[in-house]
Amino acid sequence: MKKFWCEKQQRDLLVIVTDLGVVSILGYEKEKHNFEVILKEELPSCYPNRIAGHHLAVSKLGWAVMIGAMDIVKHILALEYTSDKGISVKKKWTFTNNTLIFDIGVLGTSGYSAAHCMFASLENAYVKVHPDKPPLHIPKQKIVIFDLNVNELEITTRESPYLRHQANHLISVPQKKGILICSENCIAYYSYRFSKLKQCPIPKRLTNSKEDVIIACSAVCFENGKSLILAQSEQGDIFKITLLGTELKVKEIIIEYFDTIPVASSLCIIGTTYLFAASEFGNHHLYAIKYAKDVKAVLKALFHK
């Protein structure tokens, strides 16, 4: 499930994908106090036993939606908005290849029009290997960019250089027109304009410095001129990520320890003042975020609500 701001309707909408491959867009009606289905679209069935809704990404203004399975199948839907609060699908694309899909995300607009959006897919190709013959080469991970022009209904793809470190998670930063790649022990920033990755190591605990640090989930919020990017490791440590530079080019990545809470399956920042941590098996938690000028106060920025 993802939410996005619909500029034409001036409200937030929800995108939901079921395990049967049905995409729905919901809008909340204040007068009726319930959600109403604005769009319901069934994805084409390309491969059996493939759950298409495992990965989901929505462009900044909701012009397009990208949906991916755990492997092989990816769908992109271009949306069209009508004056009577209606939404329809202008065109659907389906991409199939022998790849494992670790995560997908959205980049900022690459052109001057807001209807020009880009998606990123973290993939790793795989090949069939004969049991008696070793593989000639081991495929490596890469980022595949899908550049969509909604007005022209055209998609162009481009690939990044192979990643040096094994990655598992993407953090979308549309305001910077790039994406953060979370790998073992480091986080890198990738922009479609610059092929070279800008990397920064993830801080480790002094008591267990030999153990690899892997990011489990993240949350991003840009509201009221404030930006907040949080990422949580599998040990429960939360890190604050700051990107220094211009909108097109990031010069430096700063990763600071923020706080430690129980490991969550998903994080959500609400209005830059609250942090909701959802757990798959344990209790859900709501924290209040307090901002302070001195660095020492940042370590105590989260309080249980």
Side-chain angles (χ1 to χ4, degrees):
M1 180 174 63
K2 295 284 185 179
K3 70 102 175 175
F4 67 93
W5 172 257
C6 181
E7 190 175 7
K8 280 199 171 183
Q9 300 184 11
Q10 290 296 305
R11 61 172 178 169
D12 286 324
L13 299 179
L14 290 177
V15 181
I16 300 176
V17 184
T18 66
D19 56 352
L20 298 178
V22 179
V23 183
S24 301
I25 297 181
L26 309 179
Y28 184 76
E29 298 293 339
K30 294 183 179 180
E31 298 178 355
K32 300 179 181 179
H33 299 285
N34 61 2
F35 286 94
E36 288 194 353
V37 179
I38 304 176
L39 173 67
K40 190 174 183 180
E41 187 76 15
E42 186 174 351
L43 298 174
S45 179
C46 301
Y47 282 82
N49 303 324
R50 293 297 189 278
I51 301 176
H54 191 80
H55 301 291
L56 175 64
V58 186
S59 62
K60 183 180 178 181
L61 299 178
W63 290 106
V65 177
M66 184 173 184
I67 305 159
M70 294 186 66
D71 64 339
I72 300 180
V73 183
K74 295 181 290 291
H75 303 280
I76 294 181
L77 280 66
L79 304 179
E80 184 178 18
Y81 297 85
T82 58
S83 57
D84 56 347
K85 293 186 178 182
I87 302 176
S88 61
V89 177
K90 295 177 66 175
K91 190 174 181 179
K92 291 184 286 187
W93 294 268
T94 301
F95 302 89
T96 57
N97 49 11
N98 292 334
T99 57
L100 294 174
I101 306 172
F102 292 86
D103 201 2
I104 61 175
V106 61
L107 283 76
T109 55
S110 60
Y112 297 100
S113 174
H116 203 86
C117 52
M118 303 180 73
F119 295 98
S121 176
L122 177 61
E123 302 179 357
N124 195 343
Y126 62 87
V127 294
K128 295 182 179 180
V129 180
H130 194 274
D132 299 331
K133 296 181 180 180
L136 298 178
H137 66 280
I138 300 177
K140 297 181 180 180
Q141 277 185 325
K142 60 184 176 181
I143 298 290
V144 180
I145 303 296
F146 297 86
D147 192 347
L148 168 62
N149 190 328
V150 180
N151 294 329
E152 301 294 335
L153 296 179
E154 295 179 351
I155 292 182
T156 57
T157 61
R158 67 189 77 173
E159 298 180 358
S160 72
Y162 290 113
L163 304 180
R164 296 175 56 186
H165 305 281
Q166 188 74 12
N168 69 301
H169 185 65
L170 297 178
I171 302 178
S172 299
V173 192
Q175 284 73 9
K176 288 291 183 180
K177 296 187 178 180
I179 199 162
L180 290 171
I181 306 172
C182 300
S183 307
E184 294 180 355
N185 303 321
C186 70
I187 295 178
Y189 178 83
Y190 174 75
S191 175
Y192 67 95
R193 292 179 178 267
F194 306 96
S195 59
K196 187 177 180 180
L197 299 179
K198 183 71 68 174
Q199 295 184 351
C200 180
I202 303 175
K204 291 186 176 183
R205 295 183 178 182
L206 295 177
T207 56
N208 197 3
S209 60
K210 294 184 179 180
E211 185 176 351
D212 294 331
V213 181
I214 300 175
I215 298 300
C217 56
S218 61
V220 181
C221 182
F222 289 88
E223 287 187 9
N224 302 325
K226 293 183 179 180
S227 62
L228 186 61
I229 305 175
L230 300 179
Q232 186 183 36
S233 68
E234 290 184 337
Q235 298 172 339
D237 299 331
I238 295 181
F239 302 98
K240 179 184 176 183
I241 304 174
T242 305
L243 303 178
L244 302 180
T246 62
E247 184 180 2
L248 297 177
K249 187 176 182 180
V250 171
K251 297 181 179 180
E252 186 179 359
I253 303 175
I254 300 177
I255 302 178
E256 301 173 290
Y257 171 76
F258 199 68
D259 210 321
T260 300
I261 63 174
V263 181
S265 59
S266 180
L267 296 176
C268 179
I269 302 175
I270 306 173
T272 69
T273 55
Y274 294 97
L275 175 67
F276 179 75
S279 177
E280 187 173 357
F281 301 102
N283 297 328
H284 304 320
H285 295 86
L286 180 66
Y287 301 88
I289 302 176
K290 291 190 176 181
Y291 294 88
K293 294 183 179 180
D294 54 326
V295 179
K296 293 183 179 180
V298 175
L299 303 179
K300 300 180 180 179
L302 294 181
F303 292 89
H304 185 64
K305 195 73 175 176

